[in-house]
Amino acid sequence: MRKTFIISLLFFCVPFASGPRTLLAAPEGLESLLFEDVPTVTTSTMFEQSINEAPSVMTVISAEEIKQLGARTLAELLYYVTGMDITRYGRFMTTEYDLRAGGGFDRILWMIDGHLIDYIGPIEIGLAGIKQIEIIRGPGSALFGNSAFTGTVNIITKSPEELDGIKVEAGGGSYDADKASAVAGKMLTGDVGVKFLFDQYETKGPETYFPLDAARGYWDPVFGLHTAKTPLTRREGEKMQVFDARLNYSDTYLWWRWHDTWEELYKVNEYMSINPPTYSNSGNRFEIGTVRDEILLGRVHAKAWYSEVRQETQMRLYPEGFDLREVFGIPELYFPDGGRYIENSTSEISGAELRYDTNFFEKHKVLVGFNYQRHKYGDYEAYSQLDMVSGLPWSDNPYALRDVSALLNPASRELYGLFAEYVYPILDNVHLTLGLRHDDFSDFGESLNPRIGIVWNLSDATFLKLLYGSAYQAPTLGTIASDDLKDWRALHGAPELGAENIDTYEINFGTILLSDLKVDASLFHSRLTDLIRLGPERTSAGSEGTPMVHSFYENIGTIENNGSELELGYPLNENLLLHLTYAYIHSQDLSLDRRNPLVPEHKIHGGWKWDFFHGKVFWVLDVFHSSQRSRPVSDRPPHPSSDPDQVEAYTLVNTNIIVKNVLENIFQGSVDLSFSIHNLLDEKYTIYDALAHQAPDIERPGISFFTALTAAF
């Protein structure tokens, strides 16, 4: 009743808050967010074009929208993207990004300014200094190659010329969260520009409690935690730092980026991982590039880069000093250091790209390019104070950290890619885009991916897009070459593995109806084939006669997705914009003849952007609802009365208020104050019946607050 009342009250206030059009002048930039300014994008074809002309289904998030939404992290921001699902899942409950039921963050290509981001684990970028984020909701391998499977996220940062000053931000809120950033950019001369960026976010997290029954019920010694994907955008304790420096000289640039992330992944009760596991990821990227005009009647783009990333996971299975010797009468049940486990790995990528593009006969565009990458993975280490099967200290040296590394030797792969694109004007307002890319891997084979797109611009505001594209995901080195051997189980790589593939067909239509109602609708069909999964188990005799279970990776999975997406925007008056987005997807696992687990069929965002007090105050409200999602076979139901095959539906309400120029009479620059509330209705999303000893889904954090001060000068 309380939740229904709050939602009803908020919507009831809107007509009265909006007021007549004549009372308030239209604030600068409000209505243009939906109608007047059509974003210019580059990710779809590598040519500058309006989003209405781009042969892709796209979402663009501007710097102003990032500010309005009150997001602190990339996960919180992409949560608003149509078709994107942000959840927590897996062995250590890390953040999972899933676009159009594609299967995870590694099937999305992540870039900064068109450059591949090398991350071993979860993506976390920081939001300072961003000009806009361009998201392609669909395949991109015809242009970008590996990993552009179900989507591409390209984070475009501001140039020194666009910054032309300093911007700082500081804030804090619930769960001991704090954020600080500083961005500075300047053109020192007509040819020389510099940019520096520092961004930090830290929180202790909500200290999510995981009852004992849940820990025992969901934990698997090989695959870890099997809870259903919980609808979260926040982890437990988290720290992210980014430092970015760029020097531009004429058409040449030098770029260095350093990042360091630390995460406290989840927390259960005193019998298991009371000292929460931690995950850290740090690395550097160095790049040099140049653009040369008027070469063979076109432009040449050249760049070379090197990046290295190190990942470390640490956990204690028990509290320090954990002692059960008297309880069970077993002398080995004493853990002075808690039973530590440490896992490390490194990744290096070096590469170069050469690209040529030109326009001829004014409207014909041609692009050709070559890409080379060398990936090196090595220094994999795993150490444990406990026997991984019995859970007891080592019998010969009880408290030593013993090497339990999988047999993953240092490995590398090389990739050679050739790509081409042609934009042909069939008519003045109808364009055909043809693209093709061939990638050759040194360790598993080749992949050829085409694209075709027809875009018909009926008017400046109305367009129709007919699109087809294929994409692929290369098998990892671990699935090809490694053997993960334990005392009772072996996971075997398969050198004969091929790439995972997807074919996608899309129709996208956009227009403005009744002078003010903006409509963007799309339909898509995709078929994912040759998905890499573990095949049937085989058993053999292991050491000392104990049975050994063998599992081999195989290309055996097939999934079919059919979906629709709708985005609506309507200005109720000059100061109030209403928005509604809806995403439907039916994802069927044809290999298992069942619904694809963990994919909600319906997702809805609705709310408003309201500018009032002559543009001094800006208020954003967003209501998000996700329907039920089916559970994987390994996920036990949370309550006897619930549907054992379904995870419950849930609703989240977020809001953010910005007060602009709070110090306009005493400060020459601009100072804005923002206040955001996440999960306004305090929806915990947890079911637990202590009497029935039923395990819940891991709890979502409740209501949280954050306030920030931003100054630009």
Side-chain angles (χ1 to χ4, degrees):
M1 177 66 71
R2 178 174 66 91
K3 299 176 183 178
T4 304
F5 171 77
I6 292 176
I7 293 178
S8 302
L9 179 62
L10 290 172
F11 279 96
F12 180 78
C13 291
V14 173
F16 296 94
S18 58
R21 288 174 180 259
T22 56
L23 289 182
L24 297 177
E28 181 180 356
L30 177 62
E31 196 162 330
S32 68
L33 289 176
L34 283 178
F35 305 109
E36 295 176 5
D37 294 338
V38 178
T40 298
V41 297
T42 58
T43 308
S44 179
T45 61
M46 295 189 183
F47 293 105
E48 284 192 2
Q49 57 193 158
S50 78
I51 191 173
N52 292 351
E53 298 172 336
S56 302
V57 180
M58 297 189 69
T59 297
V60 175
I61 305 175
S62 67
E64 185 65 20
E65 288 176 301
I66 295 174
K67 178 180 176 181
Q68 292 168 1
L69 293 171
R72 289 165 277 175
T73 65
L74 185 67
E76 291 182 15
L77 183 63
L78 296 184
Y79 155 83
Y80 295 97
V81 174
T82 305
M84 182 76 79
D85 204 24
I86 311 292
T87 56
R88 285 173 58 173
Y89 185 65
R91 183 181 178 192
F92 295 119
M93 296 302 289
T94 54
T95 299
E96 185 75 82
Y97 301 81
D98 193 3
L99 185 57
R100 289 184 171 180
F105 85 94
D106 57 343
R107 294 183 184 178
I108 302 172
L109 182 65
W110 303 87
M111 300 190 294
I112 297 179
D113 293 326
H115 314 297
L116 170 69
I117 304 172
D118 179 22
Y119 273 78
I120 298 177
I123 300 291
E124 194 52 77
I125 305 299
L127 301 178
I130 292 177
K131 177 182 178 181
Q132 66 184 34
I133 301 179
E134 301 177 11
I135 301 105
I136 294 178
R137 309 195 311 266
S141 289
L143 194 59
F144 298 110
N146 188 34
S147 294
F149 197 72
T150 58
T152 300
V153 177
N154 189 14
I155 299 168
I156 311 294
T157 63
K158 293 182 178 179
S159 66
E161 187 174 9
E162 291 168 330
L163 287 168
D164 194 30
I166 301 173
K167 182 177 181 179
V168 296
E169 180 180 5
S174 303
Y175 310 129
D176 292 330
D178 64 80
K179 178 177 175 61
S181 66
V183 185
K186 190 74 174 178
M187 293 299 297
L188 303 180
T189 68
D191 291 329
V192 180
V194 295
K195 179 179 75 172
F196 299 96
L197 179 152
F198 175 77
D199 196 1
Q200 174 180 319
Y201 174 69
E202 183 173 5
T203 177
K204 290 185 178 179
E207 302 295 330
T208 302
Y209 180 72
F210 209 32
L212 175 60
D213 286 336
R216 288 177 175 170
Y218 288 94
W219 184 262
D220 180 283
V222 175
F223 298 104
L225 212 56
H226 283 300
T227 52
K229 287 189 176 180
T230 49
L232 296 171
T233 58
R234 290 182 175 83
R235 290 179 282 274
E236 289 294 335
E238 174 185 4
K239 184 175 182 179
M240 179 274 301
Q241 291 181 325
V242 173
F243 187 82
D244 190 297
R246 186 181 181 104
L247 171 65
N248 290 355
Y249 175 71
S250 186
D251 295 325
T252 301
Y253 67 88
L254 293 172
W255 178 37
W256 170 58
R257 185 178 183 89
W258 169 85
H259 77 270
D260 185 23
T261 61
W262 174 90
E263 302 170 29
E264 180 183 283
L265 298 173
Y266 66 88
K267 187 172 185 176
V268 301
N269 71 355
E270 62 180 350
Y271 294 103
M272 194 173 189
S273 299
I274 192 163
N275 298 321
T278 59
Y279 170 89
S280 62
N281 183 308
S282 60
N284 292 274
R285 181 186 178 95
F286 305 91
E287 181 169 313
I288 182 172
T290 188
V291 179
R292 290 289 184 263
D293 293 322
E294 299 182 359
I295 296 180
L296 298 176
L297 303 178
R299 294 184 304 172
V300 173
H301 308 251
K303 62 182 178 182
W305 67 89
Y306 169 81
S307 66
E308 54 87 19
V309 175
R310 181 170 179 82
Q311 171 256 325
E312 179 178 287
T313 302
Q314 292 197 40
M315 63 186 299
R316 286 184 172 88
L317 297 184
Y318 308 102
E320 294 184 47
F322 191 58
D323 191 347
L324 290 177
R325 290 176 292 185
E326 295 184 4
V327 176
F328 293 99
I330 301 176
E332 291 84 6
L333 290 180
Y334 175 56
F335 308 91
D337 203 24
R340 295 174 63 204
Y341 176 81
I342 302 173
E343 186 176 286
N344 303 317
S345 60
T346 60
S347 168
E348 298 179 35
I349 298 180
S350 55
E353 182 174 286
L354 185 65
R355 188 172 84 240
Y356 169 80
D357 62 66
T358 186
N359 295 348
F360 61 93
F361 301 133
E362 296 185 357
K363 297 182 180 180
H364 295 253
K365 299 178 180 179
V366 173
L367 178 147
V368 293
F370 168 77
N371 181 281
Y372 167 79
Q373 298 177 32
R374 184 177 188 273
H375 297 242
K376 180 181 178 182
Y377 303 92
D379 300 330
Y380 178 84
E381 302 170 328
Y383 301 93
S384 177
Q385 288 183 317
L386 304 177
D387 184 299
M388 302 303 290
V389 176
S390 68
L392 299 176
W394 302 109
S395 57
D396 55 343
N397 191 352
Y399 310 121
L401 274 171
R402 177 172 293 185
D403 188 348
V404 293
S405 303
L407 300 181
L408 179 62
N409 297 318
S412 64
R413 68 165 32 146
E414 292 183 315
L415 161 65
Y416 300 87
L418 291 171
F419 55 94
E421 186 175 67
Y422 176 42
V423 181
Y424 171 69
I426 300 175
L427 298 172
D428 287 343
N429 61 342
V430 181
H431 291 78
L432 170 68
T433 301
L434 300 173
L436 185 68
R437 175 163 176 145
H438 176 266
D439 288 313
D440 188 1
F441 286 78
S442 60
D443 56 347
F444 86 90
E446 304 174 336
S447 183
L448 184 67
N449 293 275
R451 75 182 293 195
I452 180 171
I454 298 176
V455 180
W456 181 15
N457 293 104
L458 289 82
S459 68
D460 291 340
T462 303
F463 61 85
L464 176 65
K465 303 179 182 181
L466 305 177
L467 311 170
Y468 163 76
S470 71
Y472 76 99
Q473 175 72 33
T476 65
L477 289 170
T479 56
I480 292 178
S482 68
D483 285 343
D484 186 358
L485 301 179
K486 302 182 186 299
D487 289 344
W488 60 279
R489 186 177 187 119
L491 306 182
H492 297 280
E496 68 276 8
L497 278 178
E500 299 176 310
N501 298 289
I502 183 173
D503 290 280
T504 302
Y505 301 85
E506 302 169 285
I507 301 175
N508 185 208
F509 174 75
T511 190
I512 294 179
L513 301 176
L514 305 174
S515 300
D516 289 324
L517 177 63
K518 181 180 180 181
V519 180
D520 191 314
S522 60
L523 300 173
F524 66 89
H525 166 81
S526 60
R527 187 179 178 89
L528 295 72
T529 57
D530 302 319
L531 300 179
I532 297 174
R533 296 174 175 174
L534 287 172
E537 294 181 347
R538 310 169 196 175
T539 304
S540 67
S543 59
E544 301 179 359
T546 58
M548 172 74 77
V549 178
H550 299 265
S551 297
F552 295 82
Y553 290 105
E554 302 177 25
N555 290 103
I556 55 176
T558 300
I559 291 177
E560 189 169 88
N561 296 328
N562 293 286
S564 60
E565 297 161 343
L566 177 66
E567 300 178 351
L568 301 175
Y570 180 73
L572 195 62
N573 62 27
E574 293 175 338
N575 306 97
L576 181 62
L577 303 179
L578 304 181
H579 72 268
L580 176 71
T581 66
Y582 169 71
Y584 164 82
I585 186 167
H586 180 80
S587 184
Q588 188 75 14
D589 191 324
L590 302 181
S591 305
L592 302 177
D593 192 26
R594 59 162 291 172
R595 285 285 306 277
N596 190 14
L598 308 174
V599 177
E601 195 167 52
H602 307 277
K603 292 185 294 182
I604 303 173
H605 276 281
W608 62 69
K609 298 178 181 180
W610 180 25
D611 209 331
F612 55 103
F613 293 142
H614 300 280
K616 298 297 184 182
V617 179
F618 197 95
W619 179 22
V620 174
L621 179 80
D622 181 82
V623 180
F624 175 66
H625 177 78
S626 175
S627 67
Q628 290 182 328
R629 60 188 79 200
S630 60
R631 295 177 179 273
V633 176
S634 58
D635 192 10
R636 64 187 267 196
H639 193 278
S641 63
S642 66
D643 185 343
D645 292 328
Q646 299 291 324
V647 181
E648 64 172 300
Y650 66 95
T651 300
L652 287 178
V653 180
N654 299 332
T655 187
N656 186 49
I657 296 176
I658 301 173
V659 182
K660 302 178 181 179
N661 292 323
V662 294
L663 301 177
E664 62 178 335
N665 295 325
I666 58 176
F667 186 74
Q668 292 184 351
S670 64
V671 178
D672 299 340
L673 178 66
S674 66
F675 178 73
S676 62
I677 305 176
H678 179 82
N679 197 0
L680 180 65
L681 303 184
D682 199 26
E683 175 59 61
K684 294 294 185 65
Y685 186 76
T686 181
I687 303 173
Y688 184 66
D689 186 343
L691 296 178
H693 299 288
Q694 292 295 322
D697 292 310
I698 189 170
E699 183 182 47
R700 177 174 62 238
I703 188 171
S704 63
F705 308 89
F706 195 84
T707 186
L709 198 67
T710 304
F713 48 91

